[in-house]
Amino acid sequence: MAERQQRGRLDEGKSVVDRPDHHAPSGFRNLAALPQVGLDVTVPFFFRRVAGLWRDRPGAPLVAPNDGTLLREGAAHGLPTVTWIGHATVLVQMEQMSFLTDPTWSHTASPFTFLGPRRFAPPGLAFEALPKIDFVLISHNHYDHLDVPTVRRLAATGARVLVPLKVGALLRRAGIAQVDELDWWETRRLGPLTVQCVPSQHWSGRGLTDQSFTLWGGWAVMGRSERFYFAGDTGYFPGFAEIGSRLGPFGLAAVPIGAYEPQAMMRPVHLNPEEALQAGLDVGARVMVGMHYGTFDLTDEPLDEPPRRFRAEALRRSLSESVWTPPLGETRRW
């Protein structure tokens, strides 16, 4: 199966036999079929989300002051650092390069600046305080992961943007030219780093008519001495073990620990904190930093529940030193 996945882009002239398993005739699919969720779950959930547009929620993450000075200086010395900016936005430095995952500095996770899931915590670092960003990794095209205004600003500074297959068209329409599209297991060489798109279990879509038309995935970044894994947005699946066996171990893994309630709707495509810890172990991570929680009102669990459960599971399994839930903006060496 892995060999078939490496054959690259979907060619409409190929036979079904030649098509990679995760390619569908009009888009992409997960390696395992996801269960259908009934209207009795989805309709009440969406009404709760609409009601949440006008209410406050306690439990947003703390913010550590960071003016970016050490980050701007740190790009020269090459020490591996990580800074959680918010949601799935993580700033990583390694091998004298700086890159961002799913960067979003916008106030809402939607196509509108005034409507949609709003931020309950500011970005942990002002955009103007960023070091020079060499490249950006995008996991998929959902609005809370692909924020076009932010990516456009980064591209204007010279950052290259790496995306899964078919996501590039959206960015090119926005005037972003430096875009590389990768299929699962494809790689790009960026300076001293090798960047590889890896499988995840999720879906894509920015409207009602483009469901799963573009690919989703995680990312592995390999340097001479360190390796970083970004899980993106995903449910728990056997692919973590395959990533670990093929590319691990990793010095650091950024794993999503929030957006898991209601479970009947979210569990196939989002990790809960306990699953996130296991996923980190599956890929062979020395340290796991939790992300994808506390920033936007996306699901039903309390904003501060994911890190509490993540730390509790680590304590139960005697792995407390391997699990990080830092304040927004705090820079740590890994």
Side-chain angles (χ1 to χ4, degrees):
M1 180 182 70
E3 292 179 356
R4 292 177 65 193
Q5 289 172 339
Q6 293 184 73
R7 291 177 184 170
R9 301 173 183 271
L10 176 61
D11 181 345
E12 292 183 357
K14 287 184 178 180
S15 69
V16 173
V17 173
D18 293 329
R19 184 182 297 148
D21 293 343
H22 61 290
H23 286 217
S26 60
F28 302 91
R29 59 190 168 209
N30 291 292
L31 297 179
L34 303 184
Q36 296 295 313
V37 182
L39 293 177
D40 59 325
V41 174
T42 58
V43 171
F45 170 79
F46 285 113
F47 274 115
R48 290 194 297 273
R49 300 281 65 73
V50 172
L53 297 177
W54 294 277
R55 71 164 186 245
D56 290 328
R57 293 189 70 184
L62 299 175
V63 182
N66 191 340
D67 65 3
T69 299
L70 293 178
L71 288 165
R72 292 189 295 276
E73 295 173 351
H77 60 56
L79 294 177
T81 68
V82 60
T83 309
W84 182 41
I85 306 298
H87 199 53
T89 306
V90 178
L91 169 60
V92 178
Q93 293 182 312
M94 56 188 288
E95 308 278 354
Q96 297 182 315
M97 298 192 79
S98 302
F99 59 92
L100 286 162
T101 65
D102 289 354
T104 174
W105 264 259
S106 291
H107 182 65
T108 59
S110 82
F112 310 106
T113 58
F114 59 91
L115 185 66
R118 70 187 191 277
R119 297 190 85 105
F120 282 88
L125 192 69
F127 189 91
E128 295 73 19
L130 286 170
K132 182 184 184 308
I133 300 300
D134 295 290
F135 61 92
V136 169
L137 302 175
I138 302 295
S139 63
H140 63 299
N141 72 353
H142 286 159
Y143 284 100
D144 58 318
H145 292 261
L146 176 49
D147 179 33
V148 172
T150 295
V151 177
R152 187 189 291 116
R153 293 176 72 184
L154 289 164
T157 69
R160 194 162 194 90
V161 185
L162 279 68
V163 300
L165 288 183
K166 293 192 177 182
V167 179
L170 171 66
L171 298 180
R172 294 186 187 99
R173 288 196 298 270
I176 302 167
Q178 297 297 315
V179 180
D180 283 43
E181 295 186 31
L182 281 72
D183 200 353
W184 290 350
W185 305 115
E186 284 192 324
T187 64
R188 290 291 185 277
R189 185 76 178 177
L190 298 174
L193 301 179
T194 298
V195 181
Q196 189 159 16
C197 185
V198 295
S200 66
Q201 182 170 287
H202 202 59
W203 59 290
S204 66
R206 290 170 78 87
L208 298 177
T209 61
D210 64 341
Q211 304 301 290
S212 297
F213 178 73
T214 65
L215 186 59
W216 51 91
W219 295 93
V221 182
M222 286 79 71
R224 291 181 292 265
S225 59
E226 294 291 350
R227 294 183 173 226
F228 167 73
Y229 168 64
F230 173 62
D233 216 351
T234 180
Y236 187 78
F237 76 128
F240 294 122
E242 183 178 9
I243 293 165
S245 66
R246 294 177 63 165
L247 303 177
F250 294 91
L252 177 70
V255 291
I257 63 173
Y260 48 80
E261 293 289 350
Q263 291 189 49
M265 183 176 178
M266 296 298 169
R267 191 167 189 180
V269 292
H270 288 145
L271 298 172
N272 64 36
E274 294 79 19
E275 291 169 331
L277 192 147
Q278 184 59 53
L281 294 176
D282 290 351
V283 301
R286 182 176 72 245
V287 175
M288 295 161 252
V289 60
M291 50 95 178
H292 199 264
Y293 74 92
T295 307
F296 297 106
D297 181 15
L298 299 176
T299 49
D300 288 346
E301 75 273 4
L303 295 181
D304 60 352
E305 182 180 277
R308 288 190 282 108
R309 284 178 53 174
F310 195 43
R311 292 191 298 266
E313 179 68 3
L315 180 63
R316 186 185 73 82
R317 301 180 67 166
S318 301
L319 293 170
S320 294
E321 294 184 359
S322 298
V323 162
W324 292 352
T325 55
L328 294 166
E330 181 179 286
T331 298
R332 294 189 182 186
R333 181 177 173 180
W334 52 277

